[in-house]
Amino acid sequence: MKYLQKITVILIAFAFLGLNAQEKKIKFYKGTLKICSSKNFQIEGYDGDEVIIKNLHEKKGENSVYVVNGFRNNGTYSYSNSSKNKLARVGKAQSISSSSSDSIVKGRLVFRSNNSERKKGLKKLGTKSNNSDLGIYFTIEQNGDELLFKDQSQVGFIMTSNESYLVKIPNTLKLNWKTNNCKDRDRSGEYRFFSSKNPSSLSNFDGETEISSSVNNIKLKDVTGPVVVNTIGGNVTVEFEKKYPKNLYSIYSNNGFIDMQIPNKSSLMVDVIGKSVYSDVDFKVLEEEEVNDVWQKTTKMKLKFGVGKTKMKLNAGFGEVFLRKK
């Protein structure tokens, strides 16, 4: 009996994983993948001709409603909670279920109806791709040699979520990834941020990479370059396991740290700026300068490893830089 129960549990688990591991495949291997989204992405390069998207989170229910508008309360955004009739926790959207067969609008909340039966056999019309049935909650658009991912929501408050995606991309593409929705500010003048427990990441990618981020940590693994990373308030970690940097690496992390592995096969000329620079690598120090700023001192160094074939620029501002052996 216990054996049958274990088998049943395993089968249910596989069924659940199957439902939540649906993929969207897009034939696209030449051009630029442009990401204008604050969501969490785990991006992996591979030798193929399709962009493959898989959600890593639980899909939203058909009858769930999510607050998309707030009102100002002493300079912050707050949200109504009809069940408790008091202000909800600032910074997080509330999810409320409704069993009604028709949509209800009450105050600032919209209760979605469950129309799953009505949708059977029908497809949503429109030029923009809608993939909520796959657990994908961002817009996908393809225009010529550009494939665009962008956030659907136009809200201006800071929000957190467990929403996360695995995206496999061909190594022949160029990646242009901006976590602030490609705008510094939205029309309401409020900053747009997204927070997740895990850092967004890019791994095993040989194409050209440009990343711009705000308050997001970035992890790169086995990314050969060329790479340009510009982040405000985020940390950047670079690891190499099977590859090494072959093209320009330029990383600017304003007040965040930069932590990079230096493989033995590397041949680098490194310009580095940071509060302090730490390393166990046998660099040759070509230049060293200490700069007095209004708040504190920063260190500027020019380092050489091997014959110095590949150029690397690392700037952590007032953050620290860690260069370690692989």
Side-chain angles (χ1 to χ4, degrees):
M1 187 67 180
K2 290 183 178 180
Y3 176 77
L4 291 175
Q5 288 176 341
K6 288 181 179 179
I7 293 295
T8 302
V9 171
I10 292 172
L11 290 174
I12 292 173
F14 274 110
F16 176 80
L17 290 172
L19 289 172
N20 286 273
Q22 294 173 295
E23 298 177 340
K24 180 176 180 64
K25 297 182 178 181
I26 306 167
K27 194 85 167 182
F28 188 79
Y29 59 94
K30 290 183 180 179
T32 300
L33 170 60
K34 187 174 184 180
I35 300 178
C36 298
S37 173
S38 52
K39 302 180 187 298
N40 182 274
F41 289 94
Q42 313 297 315
I43 303 176
E44 298 178 358
Y46 81 113
D47 295 325
D49 60 2
E50 294 179 315
V51 173
I52 304 172
I53 310 167
K54 181 190 298 184
N55 77 71
L56 301 176
H57 51 260
E58 186 178 350
K59 291 197 293 184
K60 300 175 184 176
E62 283 282 342
N63 61 340
S64 295
V65 62
Y66 294 83
V67 179
V68 295
N69 287 308
F71 59 89
R72 283 189 174 278
N73 180 27
N74 297 325
T76 61
Y77 278 95
S78 302
Y79 313 98
S80 300
N81 185 330
S82 59
S83 63
K84 295 184 179 180
N85 194 27
K86 65 180 181 179
L87 293 181
R89 185 177 179 182
V90 173
K92 290 189 178 181
Q94 302 298 303
S95 175
I96 299 175
S97 298
S98 172
S99 59
S100 173
S101 59
D102 297 313
S103 296
I104 301 174
V105 179
K106 184 175 182 180
R108 291 180 179 270
L109 295 180
V110 178
F111 292 79
R112 290 181 189 164
S113 58
N114 186 352
N115 290 322
S116 56
E117 291 297 323
R118 299 176 188 270
K119 296 176 185 177
K120 285 185 177 179
L122 306 178
K123 293 184 178 180
K124 185 175 181 179
L125 299 181
T127 58
K128 296 183 179 180
S129 177
N130 185 285
N131 303 282
S132 59
D133 57 326
L134 300 176
I136 299 173
Y137 306 111
F138 57 86
T139 300
I140 302 171
E141 299 177 11
Q142 185 172 350
N143 298 304
D145 61 354
E146 181 180 271
L147 181 64
L148 174 64
F149 297 173
K150 68 177 183 179
D151 289 336
Q152 296 174 338
S153 176
Q154 297 300 315
V155 296
F157 50 81
I158 298 173
M159 61 184 298
T160 60
S161 173
N162 66 343
E163 197 173 328
S164 183
Y165 300 90
L166 172 64
V167 182
K168 298 189 70 173
I169 65 175
N171 281 313
T172 52
L173 293 180
K174 175 182 178 180
L175 175 62
N176 186 345
W177 183 4
K178 298 184 179 181
T179 67
N180 61 358
N181 200 33
C182 294
K183 296 179 181 179
D184 292 330
R185 291 174 178 266
D186 68 2
R187 292 180 180 178
S188 66
E190 294 297 322
Y191 283 106
R192 298 168 48 83
F193 296 119
F194 183 93
S195 178
S196 177
K197 292 181 180 179
N198 300 316
S200 292
S201 68
L202 173 66
S203 63
N204 196 38
F205 187 56
D206 298 329
E208 183 179 348
T209 302
E210 183 179 347
I211 301 175
S212 178
S213 175
S214 299
V215 201
N216 289 68
N217 296 329
I218 301 294
K219 180 179 180 180
L220 305 180
K221 183 175 181 179
D222 283 339
V223 179
T224 60
V227 170
V228 176
V229 177
N230 192 328
T231 179
I232 299 175
N235 303 316
V236 181
T237 304
V238 183
E239 297 179 357
F240 292 96
E241 183 176 328
K242 299 178 181 179
K243 300 181 180 181
Y244 58 94
K246 298 178 182 179
N247 296 289
L248 172 68
Y249 250 84
S250 178
I251 299 176
Y252 176 68
S253 180
N254 188 352
N255 295 336
F257 66 73
I258 299 174
D259 193 320
M260 174 176 285
Q261 287 182 345
I262 307 296
N264 291 329
K265 291 184 179 181
S266 301
S267 178
L268 304 174
M269 187 69 73
V270 184
D271 291 330
V272 58
I273 299 174
K275 177 183 176 182
S276 298
V277 180
Y278 300 90
S279 180
D280 60 355
V281 181
D282 295 327
F283 282 111
K284 183 178 181 180
V285 180
L286 303 180
E287 296 178 15
E288 183 178 1
E289 180 184 0
E290 197 172 67
V291 180
N292 289 313
D293 198 270
V294 176
W295 302 106
Q296 62 186 26
K297 295 179 180 179
T298 56
T299 300
K300 290 185 178 182
M301 305 183 80
K302 184 180 288 291
L303 308 172
K304 185 178 181 180
F305 186 67
V307 298
K309 182 179 179 181
T310 301
K311 184 72 173 178
M312 186 173 286
K313 297 181 178 179
L314 309 176
N315 188 338
F318 293 140
E320 295 176 320
V321 179
F322 306 91
L323 305 173
R324 62 184 79 242
K325 292 180 181 178
K326 176 184 173 297

